[in-house]
Amino acid sequence: MTKVLERVLVLDGSTTYDREVVGNKGASIAKMRSLGLAVPPAFVLPIDECRRYHSSGRRLDDALWEAVLEGIAGIEADTGRGLGNPDSPLLVSVRSAGAVSMPGMMDTILNLGITDAVEEGLARLSGDPGFARETHCRFVQEFGRTVLGAHIDPHDTPHEARAAVLEDTGDEVPTEPLDQLRAAIHAVFDSWSSKRAVAYRRHWGISDDGGTAVVVQAMVFGNLGGQSGTGVFFTRDPLTGEPEPYGEWLAGGQGEDVVSGTHDPKPLSALHDELPSLHDELLAAGRLLESENGDVQDIEFTVESGRLYLLQTRAAKRSPLAAVRTAVDLAPDPPTAIDRVTPEQLTSVLAPRLAESTTAGAEVIARGTPACPGVAAGTVVTDSDDAVEGTVLARPTTSPEDVGGMIAARAVVTEHGGATSHAAVVTRALGRPSVVGVGDGVTKDWAGREVTVDGSAGVVYAGLLPTEEVRSSEVPGLDTLIDWAHELCPVGVVDSATDVLDLDEAGFALDPEQDPDEDALAERMAGAHAVTGSILSTAAGARAVLRSGVPVVVRLPGQHAAVLLLRLVQEAKEEKAS
């Protein structure tokens, strides 16, 4: 196979690509194949094609489509199977691949290429008509929801599902594989501009000018036979940062079953019990990928009929607590370690916690899986649109459509899903305390109730409980990170000093409703021996300090020195780079 088919890149491992070109998923597939790991063959429509698609009126031009067809021909040659061929069927997945990880925000379509004839072929070849029918049903329902916007219940047969999609949307699910493929690529490119993706980028300050690549990859089947399944594997615990394997395994499932939170998987140890050699093979691949990438890896994998396949790997979304520990443990140098932890994560790590004396007599109303550490209390809302500051969002499960509410709420609780579900991954990225899998129907009557969520223990308490302070020495790695920040910070951060300019008294108090005038703030600080004020906890305040040349910042009560230091170091680096 050639590496470049005009506008499409083949991910065969002969060349590795920058994530800015092919997205995280595309880059990780090429990297894993270059390391000799078992990865289904794939090609990618680069991120530039997304920009071209949107600028040209949301259409795939003829030259790009010809390159896509060449890419499919390459996968067919690699696998010995054919798209739409009932005697040797090839099914593919069509998935987004952004340069910046946005878990669950953009679209995926699995099992593409199935038709009535292909279903019969799969049944004949596998000896399992139930597997073939289920695969067909999954495709029709997912295509209907993702591409056509259908709102339908699960169905037992593909024909019932097709009829339901048609009735709900007025559009038919295509029966020709190439028509399915073209529509799926359109849907993934379009999902870059979806409401949920825009909200996620706005929260994280990610530019809307990027775009997503589209990865087309041969399917492997976790729902084929007794020695099959799917899972997600973290090379270190994403909640605590401990150097222990962590993940979930769902026998007989496909990848979306785990990350969607609609199924309750088993811990990764279940894979060891069922298929010990494959468990060992997976851990060995994880060690290799963590070493190669220098960071904690989040690996999606599928086992088909007793053979392990890796589908993608990426830097893991982790809790603020894990971010601190893994930065110190894995970063190659202090500046890189500091880059891997945000001031907001440090603020979360140092946030007050529940004392044992408080929880001893508190009423427990739910227990589940800890998904993101921390404690938060508020009034429960059960609709994402109702989530505002001071609320706790409780849902049966979450989907990308709930992200706006998850950003607004203080904490999240779900009835279903495990530690690698959508709710768990997104809340860890947001730093929101969360508990998942508390049980079917447990939260249905919670609306309007005051609760306290302990995301470290996986417990939800009745009422608003008091908290206690956390010392830096209690957070693994934090004292080391603080020492490094002190060494790298161009400004001293102290608890007290003489001749201090109080910016709050000088009229520059923090106003959440208004961005500060950085030039005026820097000018006011110029010549001061030391400054203090609420505004200094912001990025704008840190930039003004650096611009003014003031040598010392005095923290206010409630301001963490570690947070101030980290922000100053990071802003100094940004200023130097620009």
Side-chain angles (χ1 to χ4, degrees), residues 219-378:
M219 283 291 302
V220 287
F221 300 99
N223 56 338
L224 176 60
Q227 288 194 322
S228 300
T230 189
V232 177
F233 163 47
F234 293 82
T235 54
R236 297 191 180 214
D237 191 323
L239 279 71
T240 66
E242 291 184 12
E244 297 293 335
Y246 183 95
E248 293 178 324
W249 161 251
L250 182 63
Q254 288 194 319
E256 294 302 298
D257 295 337
V258 177
V259 299
S260 68
T262 56
H263 292 66
D264 295 326
K266 296 178 180 179
L268 193 65
S269 57
L271 176 61
H272 179 270
D273 296 339
E274 296 171 28
L275 301 166
S277 62
L278 287 184
H279 177 269
D280 293 345
E281 184 182 346
L282 176 65
L283 265 56
R287 288 190 294 270
L288 174 62
L289 289 169
E290 183 178 275
S291 174
E292 286 285 331
N293 293 293
D295 202 357
V296 185
Q297 297 298 289
D298 168 1
I299 301 168
E300 292 183 23
F301 68 95
T302 288
V303 176
E304 178 187 275
S305 300
R307 184 178 179 188
L308 174 68
Y309 294 91
L310 306 184
L311 304 184
Q312 75 164 31
T313 188
R314 60 188 174 191
K317 296 295 183 185
R318 63 207 78 175
S319 75
L321 185 67
V324 172
R325 179 164 183 174
T326 56
V328 172
D329 285 353
L330 293 177
D333 51 55
T336 304
I338 289 171
D339 281 347
R340 288 183 179 176
V341 182
T342 68
E344 291 74 22
Q345 285 173 322
L346 271 193
T347 299
S348 177
V349 163
L350 293 167
R353 65 185 176 190
L354 294 173
E356 289 186 14
S357 57
T358 298
T359 58
E363 178 189 355
V364 175
I365 59 173
R367 294 185 185 274
T369 300
C372 183
V375 175

Side-chain angles (χ1 to χ4, degrees), residues 376-393:
T379 303
V380 172
V381 295
T382 54
D383 188 320
S384 293
D385 292 338
D386 296 331
V388 295
E389 174 60 29
T391 61
V392 171
L393 178 62

